[in-house]
Amino acid sequence: MKIAVIGGGSWATAIVKILTEKNDYVGWWMRNEENVLYIKRFHNNPHYLSSVELMTEKIDISTDLDHIAEEADCLIFAVPSAFLKDVLSQLKIPLHDKVIFSAIKGIVPDENLIVGEFFNEKYQVPLEQIGVITGPCHAEEVALERLSYLTVASINTQNAALVGEKLSNDYIKTNISDDIYGTEYAAVLKNIYALVAGICHGLGYGDNFQAVLVSNAIREMKRFIKAVHPIKRDISDSAYLGDLLVTAYSQFSRNRMFGNMIGKGYTIRSAMLEMNMIAEGYYAASLIREVRKAHDIKMPIAHAAYKILYKKRNPRKVIARLAEKMD
C-alpha cells in the first residue's frame, strides 16, 4: 500500500515524519510551491514543526494533487475541514478506487457532514474504503519523538491494520477500531470542549473546575455519539476520553489556546490572527449545533461554546450559568 498525505500543516508534517520512519515511499501534497522547494532543499517544513528533519529521499512532494493521488493507493487527508472542498476542487482523477483516511478533526462546512460521510456521499468512495486517524496525539510531541498513540479506524479492519502498521514505529503505537463514526465525531467534539476549557482558564477558573468540566464533557460526548451512531463502544477508550483529555489540558492544544484568548478578552478575529493556525473547535461549534438539534441531544457545554462564539454572549456570564448545570 503506497500512502500519500494531503496537507502542509503541522499534523500533515507529523504524519509524513511518522510514515518515513519505515516506508520507502511517501507522497506529499501541499499548496505552496515555495514551501515545496524549501523542503526539498533544506529538509524541513519552514512554517510547521520546523525542527523536524525530514527524510526527503523517501518523499515525493508536489503541488500537483493529481500526480500525488494517482501514485498512491491510500490518501490521508490532513487539511483543515474549512479548506477541504477547496483542495478537492483541484482534483481531476476519481477517488472511488482509493482508500481514504481522514486525519481531519472537523466537519465539512456547508455540507454539515463528517469527512468520511463527505467522501462517501460526494465522491462515491465506498464506506469500506474510508477510515479515520485520531489521537490522543499532538504533532508537537511527534516532532519530539515522545511516545504517542494513534487510533486507526475503519469498518474494513484489514485496511485499518495495514495503515496502522505503516504508522507504527518506536514512538508511535496504534490501536485498531471499526468505529469510524464514533471516533470521527469524538475528534470533532473534543475540540469544542477544549475550546471551552481554554475559555474557562482565561476567565480564571482553576483545575478543580476543569476536572468537573471535562467529566461532564465526556458524558455529553457519550450522549451525542450514542444518538448519532448507536453501537457498542467504550467511551473511556483512548480514542474518545484520551483524545479529549490531551486536547483539553495540553500546552500544545490550539483549541485550548484559542479559547484561552477568548476568555482573556480577545475578539475571535484577533485570536485567529495571533495564533496563525486553525482552531477546528470554532467551526465545529456552529456545525455540530445542527446535528445536535436534529437529534434533540442535551449538550450544554457545546451550546455554551456556540453562544460565546456565534451569539457574541459574554463569556463570564455564559460560563457562570453553565457551571450551575454541572455536577
Side-chain angles (χ1 to χ4, degrees), residues 12 91 283 308:
L91 191 67
Y283 300 102
I308 293 169

Side-chain angles (χ1 to χ4, degrees), residues 47-177:
H47 301 298
Y48 300 96
L49 306 186
S50 56
S51 63
V52 172
E53 186 169 345
L54 297 163
M55 292 183 272
T56 49
E57 69 276 8
K58 296 183 175 184
I59 303 170
D60 178 11
I61 182 170
S62 173
T63 58
D64 184 342
L65 185 56
D66 283 321
H67 163 71
I68 295 300
E70 210 158 23
E71 290 294 316
D73 307 302
C74 172
L75 301 175
I76 298 176
F77 282 84
V79 297
S81 59
F83 303 147
L84 179 61
K85 290 172 73 174
D86 180 49
V87 169
L88 288 169
S89 69
Q90 304 173 42
L91 191 67
K92 297 180 179 61
I93 68 167
L95 293 176
H96 58 79
D97 62 338
K98 303 290 182 182
V99 174
I100 304 292
F101 270 76
S102 168
I104 300 170
K105 300 172 175 70
I107 294 178
V108 182
D110 303 324
E111 307 295 337
N112 216 30
L113 298 169
I114 51 176
V115 177
E117 289 177 320
F118 177 74
F119 277 108
N120 176 241
E121 294 186 16
K122 303 299 181 180
Y123 285 85
Q124 290 74 55
V125 180
L127 278 176
E128 60 269 19
Q129 292 169 212
I130 291 172
V132 181
I133 299 170
T134 65
C137 188
H138 278 307
E140 291 81 1
E141 292 207 350
V142 171
L144 296 169
E145 299 190 2
R146 291 178 177 169
L147 183 61
S148 303
Y149 291 77
L150 292 173
T151 298
V152 184
S154 175
I155 59 173
N156 183 334
T157 52
Q158 184 178 5
N159 279 344
L162 279 169
V163 173
E165 171 59 25
K166 294 281 189 181
L167 291 165
S168 299
N169 59 46
D170 290 343
Y171 57 90
I172 298 291
K173 308 301 178 188
T174 56
N175 299 311
I176 305 304
S177 169

Side-chain angles (χ1 to χ4, degrees), residues 170-217:
D170 290 343
Y171 57 90
I172 298 291
K173 308 301 178 188
T174 56
N175 299 311
I176 305 304
S177 169
D178 61 358
D179 184 15
I180 57 170
Y181 290 98
T183 53
E184 189 161 8
Y185 270 120
V188 173
L189 289 167
K190 55 97 177 181
N191 286 332
I192 301 173
Y193 300 139
L195 198 154
V196 175
I199 291 173
C200 294
H201 184 266
L203 290 169
Y205 286 83
D207 293 343
N208 295 340
F209 178 79
Q210 294 281 12
V212 174
L213 175 69
V214 171
S215 65
N216 278 262

